Amino acid sequence: MQERPLLEVSGLTKYYRSFPSLSDFSLTLTEGKIVALLGPNGSGKTTLIKIIAGLLTPNAGSVSVLGCPPGDQSRSMIAYLPDRNSIPGWMTSEQAVAYFADFFQDFDRVKAEKMLADLGIPLDKPFSKLSKGMREKVQLSLVMSRAAKLYLLDEPISGVDPAAREYILRTILSCHAPDATVLISTHLIADVEEVIDEFVFIRDGRLVCYDSADEARKREGKSLDEMFREAFRC
């Protein structure tokens, strides 16, 4: 059976003043995949994710999620984790759970509360009083407790300890529906290598490579981390 396209990106170009953050970038992702978005700093990863999420407008090109262009319908199918804190400092984790429950129809409050308990997050402490790692755990728990079609995770494990990374990666693997796709932007390639199905290399806003992780490893006889280091060696 032919895999159904979930995300279709065609000819995306985005300028910040005269600097091109994305240049004629095209990509199609199918359902039921975990995909790593990999590239050096300034390669356009966050810009791409924000355009897909409907938070930025490209100068050229198009995006669709299950055939829907950016708008209310596409945003309802996307769960987005930004690379920076998006929860107000005065809000407690308990209040953040209640906010997500009110705002997103597909939010599973029981799942979120269990994840926070497993991670040892105090529910009554203001967000500003939590460590950076705890804040990232809370945000990821909230995002992964939605029944989305497309999860956009921008550096989800960068600020947490190795033990928490394992839990978070297991959570990413187990908390999305079989037909949902997860796009993860990260620098910690070795940590995500075993959980991803496909990978995207991006440099200077252009697509360098999009491939199956297993097929590339067999073909090259190298880990994805080694392939990345070779492709982007300074």
Side-chain angles (χ1 to χ4, degrees), residues 145-182:
S145 294
R146 290 187 55 200
K149 290 293 187 183
L150 176 64
Y151 296 85
L152 302 174
L153 311 180
D154 199 351
E155 297 290 347
I157 58 174
S158 61
V160 299
D161 58 85
R165 283 178 202 163
E166 290 184 13
Y167 177 87
I168 287 169
L169 290 172
R170 288 200 308 271
T171 298
I172 291 170
L173 274 173
S174 62
C175 284
H176 68 285
D179 61 347
T181 286
V182 182

Side-chain angles (χ1 to χ4, degrees), residues 86-88 90-91 93-104 107 109 142:
S86 61
I87 298 176
W90 56 265
M91 189 177 282
S93 297
E94 188 172 33
Q95 290 171 324
V97 168
Y99 173 79
F100 264 64
D102 287 342
F103 200 80
F104 298 107
F107 182 73
R109 185 168 190 156
L142 295 172

